């Protein structure tokens, strides 16, 4: 999407957090036309600075007046703050692009992955929502397959990095690893449901009465909304693994007509934003370590199931970039490219 050069006033709520920090880098890397940057966070960060284009930008309190005269407000803080402040930003004429889960399932809020449903931004009424960091790569890979065959079901197991829980998640892994190396007692888990160092935790976020976690429910409903397919069967287990950055998922897909692995590989390779790395015989397949710092969703291990006509694949995406910051900036570019801002 081409972006005109007219400068925009941009505010980042949560500029001191894991996603906010990457968002500033992505705005720089993509030469997003920023004429003024407002870095916003909580009272805890007032008086500190963030770096943007080689300058120290003072961090201000996120409050409604900070949105006066702003074109885009990226929300990368808490859901409750987005609930309170995104309508305030919209009321002042800005477009709020929200990374939290607060607005995703609202009927009049587009939930957008630009490569999949970029045109949905046309219907915005001041707020556009970004999907969960596991949903974005899944929506892209399923859409790639949908361009060659009907997709009926996806059975998904995720392996999610600790930075998916923000800076507190990263700190928890580091503190537990440090304590283990020093032979000290492992600090009690706070960000995760169980110790994360040297472990896999089969529960992301909050456990619900129906046996699923909130993360799993998001994956189901958001995927259906983005793909505009309320009948799509998505069943999932989301796990947390001791990896700093990068979410992976193992996906088993049922298609309307059986797809060969080669057809599926071609579909993945042809899709914008996906890179196929699928030469396991030469030791080449996507890993979380490989995807960290990249915007592409990496796909590999494409193969037919041995006991059905379904198809397996493995995908990796950087949760802070395509799973959050990059997708949010692409939404802003989509709005500019369509003359909506
Ligand atoms: N991490 C991911 O992979 C990922 C992916 C997709 C979506 N998200 C979503 O993105 C958002 C940010 O996540 P994160 O991982 O960056 O979290 P984080 O590292 O914990 O950062 C949170 C940010 O929000 C700010 N904040 C918290 N409470 C605030 C308040 N009351 N008023 C103003 N600012 C406040 C913090 O500011 P202070 O420094 O002042 O406390 C900090 O800048 C969340 O909604 C999360 O669900 C995250």
């Amino acid at each position: 999407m081409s972006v005109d050069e007219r400068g925009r006033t941009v505010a980042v709520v949560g500029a001191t957090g894991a996603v906010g920090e990457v968002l500033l880098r992505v705005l720089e890397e993509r030469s997003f036309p920023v004429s003024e940057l407002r870095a916003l966070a909580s009272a805890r960060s007032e008086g500190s600075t963030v770096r943007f284009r080689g300058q120290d930008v003072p961090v201000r309190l996120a409050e409604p007046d900070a949105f006066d005269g702003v074109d885009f407000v990226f929300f990368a803080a808490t859901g409750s703050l987005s609930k309170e402040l995104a309508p305030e930003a919209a009321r002042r004429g800005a477009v709020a692009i929200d990374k939290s889960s607060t607005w995703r399932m609202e009927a009049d809020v587009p939930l957008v992955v630009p490569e999949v449903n970029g045109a949905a931004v046309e219907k915005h009424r001041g707020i556009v929502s970004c999907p969960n960091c596991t949903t974005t790569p899944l929506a892209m890979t399923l859409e790639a397959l949908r361009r060659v065959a009907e997709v009926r079901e996806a059975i998904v197991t995720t392996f999610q990095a600790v930075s998916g829980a923000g800076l507190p998640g990263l700190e928890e892994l580091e503190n537990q690893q440090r304590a283990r190396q020093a032979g000290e007692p492992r600090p009690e888990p706070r960000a995760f449901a169980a110790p994360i160092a040297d472990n896999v935790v089969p529960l992301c976020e909050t456990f619900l009465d129906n046996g699923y976690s909130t993360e799993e429910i998001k994956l189901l409903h958001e995927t259906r909304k983005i793909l505009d397919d309320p009948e799509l069967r998505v069943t999932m287990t989301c796990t947390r693994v001791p990896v700093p950055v990068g979410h992976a998922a193992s996906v088993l897909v049922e298609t309307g007509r059986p797809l060969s692995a080669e057809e599926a590989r071609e579909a993945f390779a042809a899709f914008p934003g996906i890179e196929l790395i699928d030469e396991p015989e030469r030791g080449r397949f996507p890993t979380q370590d490989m995807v960290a710092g990249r915007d592409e969703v990496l796909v590999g291990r494409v193969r037919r199931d041995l006991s059905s006509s379904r198809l397996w694949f493995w995908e990796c995406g950087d949760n802070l970039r395509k799973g959050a910051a990059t997708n949010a900036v692409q939404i802003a570019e989509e709005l500019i490219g369509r003359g909506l801002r």
Side-chain angles (χ1 to χ4, degrees):
M1 186 66 47
S2 68
V3 171
D4 70 55
E5 294 307 309
R6 180 173 69 77
R8 269 75 174 181
T9 301
V10 170
V12 178
V13 179
T16 52
V19 172
E21 156 72 15
V22 174
L23 212 140
L24 297 178
R25 300 292 79 76
V26 171
L27 289 169
E28 289 175 341
E29 290 165 19
R30 297 176 76 93
S31 301
F32 190 86
V34 180
S35 53
E36 180 191 341
L37 179 84
R38 296 184 193 169
L40 309 174
S42 77
R44 289 180 291 275
S45 300
E46 268 189 301
S48 68
T49 58
V50 293
R51 293 291 285 178
F52 185 67
R53 292 183 182 157
Q55 307 279 327
D56 287 328
V57 178
V59 178
R60 294 167 50 186
L61 187 64
E63 55 188 349
D65 288 352
F67 306 136
D68 285 338
V70 171
D71 293 290
F72 293 107
V73 184
F74 293 99
F75 280 90
T78 63
S80 55
L81 198 69
S82 292
K83 187 162 197 168
E84 179 194 337
L85 291 186
E88 294 287 349
R91 203 168 294 132
R92 286 166 166 77
V95 181
I97 300 176
D98 187 31
K99 272 309 315 160
S100 82
S101 58
T102 299
W103 298 98
R104 289 181 191 148
M105 297 312 298
E106 294 295 321
D108 60 353
V109 175
L111 179 63
V112 178
V113 178
E115 295 88 342
V116 178
N117 65 337
V121 298
E122 301 264 358
K123 295 192 184 129
H124 88 84
R125 294 198 199 157
I127 303 174
V128 182
S129 198
C130 263
N132 183 265
C133 40
T134 50
T135 308
T136 299
L138 183 69
M140 289 172 66
T141 49
L142 295 185
E143 176 64 13
L145 295 178
R146 282 205 322 174
R147 294 196 179 173
V148 292
E150 179 196 358
V151 170
R152 292 181 176 164
E153 180 173 30
I155 300 170
V156 187
T157 304
T158 70
F159 304 82
Q160 301 183 211
V162 294
S163 59
L167 294 177
L170 277 165
E171 281 163 18
E172 186 149 315
L173 174 62
E174 284 166 14
N175 290 340
Q176 289 181 4
Q177 287 173 331
R178 202 175 300 120
R180 174 160 288 225
Q181 277 161 11
E184 294 166 0
R186 192 161 53 182
E188 283 302 304
R190 293 163 63 100
F192 306 114
I196 190 65
D198 304 326
N199 211 2
V200 172
V201 180
L203 175 62
C204 287
E205 292 201 337
T206 309
F207 186 66
L208 300 168
D209 288 346
N210 63 6
Y212 287 84
S213 66
T214 46
E215 185 82 352
E216 289 159 351
I217 298 301
K218 285 185 222 169
L219 191 61
L220 165 65
H221 294 301
E222 293 177 22
T223 306
R224 285 177 167 173
K225 180 171 176 177
I226 296 161
L227 297 180
D228 193 21
D229 183 357
E231 304 298 316
L232 179 68
R233 300 196 304 273
V234 182
T235 186
M236 58 276 135
T237 302
C238 292
T239 79
R240 191 73 72 183
V241 294
V243 165
V245 176
H247 290 354
S250 170
V251 186
L252 179 65
V253 183
E254 183 185 307
T255 48
R257 72 175 172 87
L259 280 183
S260 71
E262 200 42 49
E263 271 183 290
R265 281 191 200 102
E266 283 171 15
F268 289 132
F271 195 80
I274 290 181
E275 183 176 326
L276 182 74
I277 302 177
D278 199 14
E279 296 176 292
E281 67 285 359
R282 296 175 54 206
R284 294 194 71 242
F285 40 75
T287 64
Q288 282 147 288
D289 179 62
M290 185 188 280
V291 86
R294 295 190 58 177
D295 285 327
E296 298 82 6
V297 171
L298 307 182
V299 177
R301 296 296 321 278
V302 183
R303 62 206 188 275
R304 281 286 290 274
D305 184 34
L306 293 179
S307 53
S308 75
S309 58
R310 295 185 285 193
L311 196 85
W312 282 108
F313 64 90
W314 172 257
E315 55 166 53
C316 295
D318 182 322
N319 50 297
L320 297 174
R321 292 183 70 96
K322 187 57 187 165
T326 303
N327 198 69
V329 175
Q330 284 177 300
I331 288 172
E333 291 170 352
E334 189 82 37
L335 288 159
I336 294 174
R338 290 172 181 273
L340 296 171
R341 179 62 20 182

